[in-house]
Amino acid sequence: MFPSTSPDTGRDPWADDARPGPAGPSRGYPPGPRTGPTDDGGERPERKGPRRLRKGGPGRRPDDESDDMPEEEVPPVPVRRPLALAVAGFAALLGVGLVLGAQTAGPGHRLQFALVVLGVQLLFVLAWTMAMRPPALLVVALVSAAAAGIADAAAVQSEIAGLAPLGYAAAGGFVLGVLGQLVRRVDRVRVTDSLGSTLLIVVGVVAFAALIVLGRIPKGTQAITVCLTATGVALLVARLTDAVAPWPRLAPQVPRGAAGVVAGAMVGTLTSAVLGSYLVGFTPTSAALVGLVTAATAVLADLAVGYAEAGRLMAGEPPTMWIARHMQGPLGGFALAAPAAYAMCVLFL
C-alpha cells in the first residue's frame, strides 16, 4: 500500500517555484488596467482622442488632421477699370446712335433708321459669332446677316406693322444656319451642341428689327426714345459702378458686382420717368414702367453674357477675340430691350 501522506508533508510547496496557473487573467475577474512602463522601458503614449473611421481607409485621430494640406482657393478675377470704362462708353454711344436714328424716322423716311439698325445688327453678328464660335462660323454669320436684312426690309415695307414677318425671318435663318453646319462632317459632330448658340445669334440679330416696327405705330418713336435712353443709361451706370465699386462680387470668375446691376436698373428707371414728364403721350408713371422693364432686361442680359464667357473659359475653351468679347454684353442688352420695348408699348400704352 502507498502511504496516505507525501514524504514532503509540512513543506511549503509554493516557496521555491511560482504558483502554476493560466497565463491569462484569473477566472471571474476582469484584467486590471496597465499603468506601468512598457516592455521596452518607455512610457506608453496616451491617446489624445478616440479613433474615427475614415471611408476607404483605417481610422485616424483628430490630431492627424493637422497634417492635411488646406485646399487652395481660386483667386477672383480682377476688375480692370479702363476696360469697364471703355465698355460703358460703347454702351452710351450705342444708345445715342439708336435714339438719334429713331428721331429721323417718319412715315416716309424709315430707310434712314433701318440703315442705322442694320449697322448695329452687323456689329451684333460680328461680336456674337466671334465670341460663341459655332460650327461653320462663316456660314452662321452670313445667314444671320441675311436674316437681319430680310427682317429690316419686311419691317419697313410690310402693310401692317407687326412682328410676324420678323418671326418668319428668324425661323428661316435658324434652319439655314443648322443646315449649313450639317454639310461638313467636321461641323456635323458639334451641331447638336451649337443649336443654342445658333438660335441666340439669329434671334438676337432679328430682334433689332422690332425697333423699326415700333417706329411705325402711334407713340412708337417716343417709346423708342424712353426705352433706349433708359437702356443706355442703365448699362452705362452699371459699368461705371463696376469700375469704381465692384461689390459684392456675384461670382469670383465674373468681374461684376451686384451694386452696379441694381444701380443701373434704378438710374435707368429714373431717367425714363424724367423723360416721360416732357414727352407727349407719356406720364412719369407710364414712362417709369416701360423704362424699368427695358433697363432691367438690358442689365441682366449684359450680366448673363459675363457668366457665359466665364463658363467657356472654365470649360477650357480658348479665349475669343478681345474686342468681340466686350462688345457682346451691351449689344445683347439692346437686342433684348428692343422686343421688350415693343411689348410694353403695345400692352400698356
Side-chain angles (χ1 to χ4, degrees):
M1 295 182 61
F2 294 99
S4 59
T5 59
S6 173
D8 295 334
T9 303
R11 179 182 175 186
D12 189 1
W14 318 112
D16 298 333
D17 301 325
R19 182 177 181 177
S26 60
R27 298 179 180 178
Y29 297 95
R34 298 182 62 184
T35 58
T38 58
D39 296 338
D40 54 356
E43 295 292 334
R44 176 180 298 273
E46 297 182 359
R47 290 185 179 180
K48 298 181 180 180
R51 284 182 176 270
R52 296 189 301 176
L53 292 179
R54 184 174 56 185
K55 185 177 180 181
R60 63 177 181 180
R61 300 186 182 92
D63 56 312
D64 297 333
E65 298 178 358
S66 59
D67 298 332
D68 296 342
M69 297 297 294
E71 297 182 358
E72 296 183 0
E73 296 183 359
V74 179
V77 176
V79 179
R80 293 180 286 178
R81 291 184 179 181
L83 178 60
L85 295 176
V87 176
F90 174 71
L93 290 176
L94 197 60
V96 170
L98 289 173
V99 170
L100 292 180
Q103 297 300 321
T104 63
H109 301 84
R110 301 190 187 100
L111 184 59
Q112 292 85 344
F113 185 43
L115 292 177
V116 174
V117 172
L118 181 60
V120 177
Q121 288 171 322
L122 294 179
L123 283 177
F124 181 91
V125 171
L126 173 64
W128 278 70
T129 51
M130 294 302 299
M132 304 190 75
R133 291 184 178 275
L137 186 147
L138 184 59
V139 174
V140 174
L142 293 177
V143 169
S144 300
I150 295 172
D152 295 344
V156 171
Q157 298 179 357
S158 60
E159 296 181 359
I160 300 176
L163 298 182
L166 309 187
Y168 299 145
F174 173 69
V175 172
L176 290 177
V178 174
L179 291 178
Q181 295 172 357
L182 291 175
V183 173
R184 298 177 57 190
R185 181 176 300 179
V186 178
D187 300 327
R188 195 181 308 161
V189 178
R190 298 176 49 206
V191 68
T192 55
D193 299 332
S194 66
L195 290 178
S197 60
T198 305
L199 182 64
L200 281 176
I201 295 171
V202 175
V203 173
V205 73
V206 172
F208 280 101
L211 297 175
I212 303 175
V213 179
L214 184 58
R216 297 180 55 185
I217 65 177
K219 300 181 182 179
T221 303
Q222 291 88 343
I224 292 175
T225 302
V226 172
C227 294
L228 295 189
T229 302
T231 300
V233 170
L235 294 174
L236 174 66
V237 172
R239 292 290 184 165
L240 290 178
T241 306
D242 289 336
V244 177
W247 56 267
R249 291 290 292 269
L250 296 174
Q253 296 81 13
V254 181
R256 302 293 304 275
V261 176
V262 176
M266 293 177 63
V267 176
T269 304
L270 177 62
T271 304
S272 62
V274 172
L275 284 177
S277 61
Y278 294 100
L279 294 177
V280 178
F282 278 88
T283 62
T285 303
S286 61
L289 179 62
V290 297
L292 173 62
V293 173
T294 52
T297 301
V299 294
L300 290 179
D302 186 20
L303 181 63
V305 169
Y307 272 92
E309 179 64 22
R312 287 193 294 268
L313 293 178
M314 292 178 64
E317 298 183 9
T320 57
M321 185 185 298
W322 180 84
I323 189 171
R325 294 199 311 267
H326 303 298
M327 290 171 58
Q328 189 184 7
L331 287 169
F334 277 98
L336 198 57
Y342 179 86
M344 294 300 295
C345 183
V346 171
L347 296 176
F348 296 100
L349 298 179

